[in-house]
Amino acid sequence: MSPLPDRTDARPANPVLPGFHPDPSVCRVGEDYYLACSSFEYFPGIPLFHSRDLVHWTQIGNVLDRPGQLPLATAASSGGIYAPTLRHHGGRFWLMVTNCSKDGGNLIVTATDPAGPWSDPIRAPDVPGIDPDLAWEEDGTCWCTVAGGWQVRIDPATGKTYGDPHRVWAGGPGAKAPEAPHLYRIGAYWYLLIAEGGTERGHGVSIARGTSPTGPFEPCPDNPVLTHRGTDRPVQNTGHADLVQGPDGSWWMVLLGVRPGGGTPGWHVLGRETFLTPVTWVDGWPVVGEVDLELPEVPWPLRPGPVEALRDDFDDAALRPGWISVRERSDAHCSTEERPGWLTLRVRGTSLDAPDVMFTGRRQQHAAFRARALMDPGQGRGGLGVRLDEQHHYAIEASAEEIRVVARIGSLRTVVATRPAPRGPVTLTVSAVDPPLPHGPCTGPDVLSLGVEEADGTVTELAVLDGRHLSTEVAGGFTGRVIGMYAADGTVHFDWFDYEPLDD
């Protein structure tokens, strides 16, 4: 893989990881920070990021990047990999996560280098529930705490548990979905941080403390310590947090949030994103700062790292770590070596409706963007699509004879527009922009334009579609939009793909 250029935009902004990067878990090792996120039904799983300043993050790999680590064939959309916890202990990185599929369960993987390779999974069949956390006492005793406030002693090297799970603390009385637990020793106390209220508009963060990792725990009198429920703030659904110390010893929180757009009820299309906010301590309790679109000034020098180019010419033997596929991606169906300098996709499922479609894409990270791909359909058929799940996607699709726009919204699937195909390769385009004026209560978050770039560089627009139908508020689930290339018949080739933000 060729070297990546240095980042030139060092301006602090929230989210620090835009786009579909939910359930962040962070750990610090010396001057280095590492962060992992949920990946659900996508392969490879669990993107892993590195930073030196908590503000600028560079993806250095994926934790679950081998088929043997990540069985997802039976995972439903928004199933699969939920809520990792990333920790460093005893000179090794530990990650525990839930695979919510038939062949899954709770598992642990380890590495000495967070960029990989990571170990094959260690199964933990007697750990109940989801969202597992790992925390060690000074004598090496390790505790696993899961959603619902349940806890059990565990040997993370083997996955063996000791004794029966016991309930330690599950948030406020009657709180919805107490989940995302993280247990820390800070000063004289053990603190148990959780999310509650569900990952929708009622999401929040609460905390309790005790003198033992097993409790009893005293709830913070100001719980929830963070929530945006019932507000008009631009960042909503704030929750699922993790605590970390900055380079100067100050405390910070990473958390997920969304940026709804449009009218009522507000639609978010990028998925749940990773935000950063400062934390101060008053009387032994954390006080969480504002979560806004502008990051407060950090009290240490910014250290921007390398960043991938927004264009990929597919000249490397392996795909960059940001490319993800639906459930699996074998060399037999996806290759940059079969036709050097091109991405070759061979059909598996016959459309974006199919659970096994051969689709390779990147997360949408900007409210407004333009993506293009130069495709040679040969005798096959494929295209450029914007995917939320099997029942919610838009695509511009080409064969040797025809180019067409296909829209799938719930139970309805239709061909929106067609035109004859030119001879040879064709440049397919998709973009998202603000909806036209006037805006009203029913205005969606954006509109998506799908078209063809002609030989003179102009774009012929074939369809303009309402973006609300590719949103979580319409489709449900836990993911965000992914933009990419797919095969629907035979074998198709892509010479390049580029993605251009249009926000600024």
Side-chain angles (χ1 to χ4, degrees):
M1 185 170 177
S2 58
L4 301 177
D6 286 339
R7 190 190 303 265
T8 57
D9 178 11
R11 182 186 60 177
N14 252 339
V16 292
L17 273 177
F20 161 40
H21 294 108
D23 308 331
S25 181
V26 64
C27 72
R28 178 183 179 181
V29 184
E31 295 185 345
D32 297 288
Y33 295 89
Y34 300 96
L35 186 147
C37 297
S38 297
S39 50
F40 297 94
E41 74 265 30
Y42 287 98
F43 179 92
I46 311 182
L48 201 289
F49 298 87
H50 171 257
S51 176
R52 284 287 183 90
D53 62 8
L54 284 176
V55 174
H56 301 94
W57 295 89
T58 299
Q59 188 172 354
I60 58 174
N62 294 278
V63 174
L64 304 177
D65 60 1
R66 304 188 300 276
Q69 293 174 305
L70 187 58
L72 289 175
T74 62
S77 289
S78 288
I81 294 298
Y82 280 27
T85 291
L86 176 66
R87 296 293 182 255
H88 187 263
H89 176 79
R92 179 171 291 272
F93 290 89
W94 303 80
L95 185 139
M96 191 167 187
V97 73
T98 309
N99 182 351
C100 290
S101 66
K102 181 180 177 182
D103 303 315
N106 285 306
L107 58 95
I108 301 166
V109 289
T110 68
T112 54
D113 181 349
W118 287 75
S119 70
D120 288 335
I122 301 160
R123 303 291 174 180
D126 296 324
V127 173
I130 61 171
D131 298 8
D133 175 75
L134 294 174
W136 285 263
E137 296 187 63
E138 288 186 3
D139 65 1
T141 301
C142 186
W143 296 98
C144 178
T145 312
V146 298
W150 295 92
Q151 187 184 79
V152 67
R153 185 183 166 200
I154 190 170
D155 177 356
T158 64
K160 178 179 173 59
T161 58
Y162 301 92
D164 295 327
H166 59 282
R167 201 163 200 180
V168 287
W169 183 66
K176 176 183 177 181
E179 56 191 6
H182 289 308
L183 183 65
Y184 317 87
R185 177 64 183 266
I186 301 173
Y189 291 103
W190 286 88
Y191 289 87
L192 181 56
L193 187 77
I194 70 166
E196 59 182 21
T199 195
E200 303 81 29
R201 295 294 193 268
H203 213 19
V205 178
S206 292
I207 196 166
R209 71 186 183 190
T211 56
S212 166
T214 60
F217 286 97
E218 168 199 4
C220 176
D222 295 322
N223 278 336
V225 294
L226 171 64
T227 186
H228 282 186
R229 63 183 70 138
T231 72
D232 62 356
R233 294 177 180 175
V235 182
Q236 291 291 320
N237 302 32
T238 50
H240 205 116
D242 203 359
L243 291 169
V244 68
Q245 285 185 278
D248 66 341
S250 60
W251 284 90
W252 294 75
M253 177 182 282
V254 295
L255 67 143
L256 68 77
V258 306
R259 293 180 282 170
T264 298
W267 296 270
H268 77 276
V269 301
L270 303 185
R272 299 170 301 162
E273 309 175 276
T274 291
F275 291 80
L276 179 69
T277 193
V279 173
T280 55
W281 293 84
V282 177
D283 297 328
W285 294 110
V287 177
V288 183
E290 294 287 331
V291 182
D292 211 336
L293 298 179
E294 290 189 7
L295 195 65
E297 184 175 350
V298 296
W300 56 78
L302 295 177
R303 302 178 67 179
V307 61
E308 286 187 353
L310 296 177
R311 178 183 174 110
D312 197 332
D313 289 298
F314 304 118
D315 292 330
D316 298 324
L319 287 176
R320 296 174 181 172
W323 288 110
I324 53 177
S325 296
V326 180
R327 295 182 179 83
E328 58 181 320
R329 185 171 70 210
S330 71
D331 293 342
H333 293 94
C334 179
S335 171
T336 59
E337 297 185 319
E338 181 172 328
R339 183 174 175 178
W342 294 67
L343 175 67
T344 297
L345 300 181
R346 184 166 286 108
V347 71
R348 203 168 53 194
T350 56
S351 75
L352 286 174
D353 300 353
D356 61 343
V357 63
M358 187 58 255
F359 170 90
T360 296
R362 57 152 294 155
R363 294 160 173 86
Q364 180 182 338
Q365 294 183 278
H366 303 83
F369 75 92
R370 177 170 54 241
R372 304 180 303 153
L374 179 61
M375 174 187 168
D376 181 357
Q379 299 305 305
R381 178 168 52 88
L384 183 63
V386 182
R387 179 187 190 273
L388 199 64
D389 60 25
E390 284 82 15
Q391 295 187 323
H392 301 85
H393 51 80
Y394 299 152
I396 182 161
E397 191 172 274
S399 66
E401 295 79 29
E402 182 184 70
I403 298 171
R404 61 182 185 172
V405 173
V406 180
R408 174 70 189 268
I409 304 170
S411 59
L412 303 178
R413 185 180 192 274
T414 187
V415 175
V416 178
T418 64
R419 61 163 275 182
R423 295 185 62 183
V426 59
T427 300
L428 306 177
T429 72
V430 58
S431 62
V433 296
D434 288 338
L437 297 172
H439 295 168
C442 298
T443 301
D446 61 0
V447 293
L448 291 160
S449 170
L450 299 96
V452 175
E453 186 174 295
E454 310 291 356
D456 62 1
T458 61
V459 173
T460 299
E461 190 176 80
L462 297 187
V464 178
L465 303 174
D466 190 333
R468 84 182 76 188
H469 303 298
L470 305 190
S471 71
T472 299
E473 283 75 14
V474 170
F478 303 124
T479 62
R481 289 182 186 165
V482 179
I483 306 147
M485 302 150 287
Y486 69 97
D489 184 43
T491 301
V492 294
H493 308 275
F494 297 86
D495 186 25
W496 50 261
F497 172 99
D498 67 22
Y499 171 97
E500 178 186 3
L502 302 177
D503 291 352
D504 298 325

